[in-house]
């Protein structure tokens, strides 16, 4: 059956690769239903029903049929946690490897790099290893290509305290470089007549 109503986030697939525990907690909290997934909660039956509808709505069809008989959101939440909590053991090593090998020079544009940084940080956070701005900044500056040593030192001397400040600086520099290249291509050296 086709699900016509809009999802707040991607439905949880059977593989569990998109385990949405953080998204679901945030949305349940926003709807005032966060108590329904806590042990020994005293949520009303109406709130429990709303939470079940929300959680079922964000499950793959195969998972829906697996948990169709459960009527308590806490039971569903616990069952999903038991089913997918092992993913931390497989996701964490991959996230660590991604983080160690994440280099700015491997990406053509800053926004691609930024996307991968946030995706990797999310994986680490999901596995209980949140990153702080100092770690993120150090990773970026430490992995600059050797040919950009002076540039790396200049960025380091600016004393950025937040990742967002550094990435904004990179984005502005990228846009300036694009404009310079377009200007250069539009009017290359030696194309203007001498006076």
């Amino acid at each position: 059956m086709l699900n016509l109503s809009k999802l707040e986030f991607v439905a949880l697939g059977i593989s569990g690769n998109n385990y949405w525990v953080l998204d679901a907690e945030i949305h349940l909290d926003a709807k005032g239903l966060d108590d329904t997934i806590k042990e020994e909660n005293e949520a009303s039956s109406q709130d429990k029903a709303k939470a079940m509808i929300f959680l079922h709505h964000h499950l793959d069809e195969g998972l829906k049929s697996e948990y169709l008989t459960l009527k308590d959101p806490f039971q569903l939440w616990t069952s999903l946690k038991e089913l997918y909590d092992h993913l931390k053991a497989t996701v964490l090593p991959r996230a660590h490897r991604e983080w160690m090998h994440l280099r700015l020079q491997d990406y053509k544009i800053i926004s691609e790099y930024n996307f991968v940084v946030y995706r990797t940080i999310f994986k680490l956070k999901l596995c209980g290893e949140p990153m702080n701005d100092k770690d993120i900044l150090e990773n970026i500056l430490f992995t600059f290509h050797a040919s950009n040593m002076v540039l790396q030192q200049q960025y380091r001397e600016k004393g950025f305290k937040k990742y967002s400040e550094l990435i904004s600086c990179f984005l502005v520099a990228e846009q300036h470089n694009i404009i310079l290249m377009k200007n250069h291509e539009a009017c290359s050296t030696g194309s203007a007549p001498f006076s």
Side-chain angles (χ1 to χ4, degrees):
M1 181 177 198
L2 186 62
N3 195 352
L4 297 175
S5 55
K6 188 174 181 281
L7 296 175
E8 283 84 349
F9 46 89
V10 178
L12 177 60
I14 292 177
S15 69
N17 288 339
N18 63 333
Y19 186 37
W20 44 234
V21 64
L22 296 175
D23 286 328
E25 284 177 338
I26 291 167
H27 280 81
L28 286 170
D29 190 24
K31 294 175 182 295
L33 302 171
D34 55 321
D35 284 342
T36 60
I37 57 171
K38 295 178 183 166
E39 195 169 10
E40 298 179 14
N41 66 67
E42 295 186 18
S44 69
S45 59
Q46 191 175 23
D47 282 349
K48 287 181 180 182
K50 287 178 188 175
M52 282 302 287
I53 291 168
F54 177 80
L55 292 173
H56 269 266
H57 184 66
H58 290 87
L59 293 178
D60 178 80
E61 291 300 319
L63 283 174
K64 274 184 197 175
S65 60
E66 177 79 23
Y67 296 107
L68 197 57
T69 58
L70 294 179
K71 298 201 187 272
D72 185 8
F74 174 71
Q75 288 177 324
L76 176 60
W77 190 260
T78 305
S79 297
L80 291 173
K81 193 172 175 89
E82 288 171 2
L83 183 62
Y84 295 116
D85 228 21
H86 76 281
L87 287 176
K88 290 180 183 177
T90 59
V91 171
L92 187 59
R94 273 188 273 145
H96 275 296
R97 186 179 187 292
E98 283 177 26
W99 185 249
M100 286 184 349
H101 296 284
L102 188 61
R103 300 177 312 174
L104 181 62
Q105 68 203 29
D106 294 338
Y107 298 89
K108 289 184 179 181
I109 58 174
I110 299 297
S111 58
E112 285 177 6
Y113 173 76
N114 193 35
F115 174 78
V116 174
V117 167
Y118 279 121
R119 186 185 66 203
T120 307
I121 290 170
F122 172 76
K123 288 178 187 177
L124 290 166
K125 186 177 181 180
L126 184 64
C127 294
E129 292 194 20
M131 301 292 292
N132 61 35
D133 279 316
K134 184 180 177 188
D135 295 333
I136 299 167
L137 290 169
E138 193 55 38
N139 179 278
I140 293 170
L141 297 173
F142 184 72
T143 58
F144 261 61
H145 192 271
S147 64
N148 293 328
M149 198 176 301
V150 173
L151 190 61
Q152 181 257 19
Q153 289 171 351
Q154 290 173 342
Y155 280 117
R156 206 176 272 287
E157 287 174 8
K158 285 194 174 194
F160 292 104
K161 299 290 183 210
K162 293 184 176 183
Y163 169 71
S164 58
E165 294 171 350
L166 178 61
I167 208 71
S168 293
C169 189
F170 284 167
L171 288 166
V172 168
E174 180 181 62
Q175 291 305 310
H176 287 168
N177 289 343
I178 289 170
I179 292 169
L180 284 173
M181 290 305 292
K182 284 183 179 179
N183 287 342
H184 175 74
E185 290 167 3
C187 185
S188 58
T189 306
S191 62
F194 288 108
S195 55

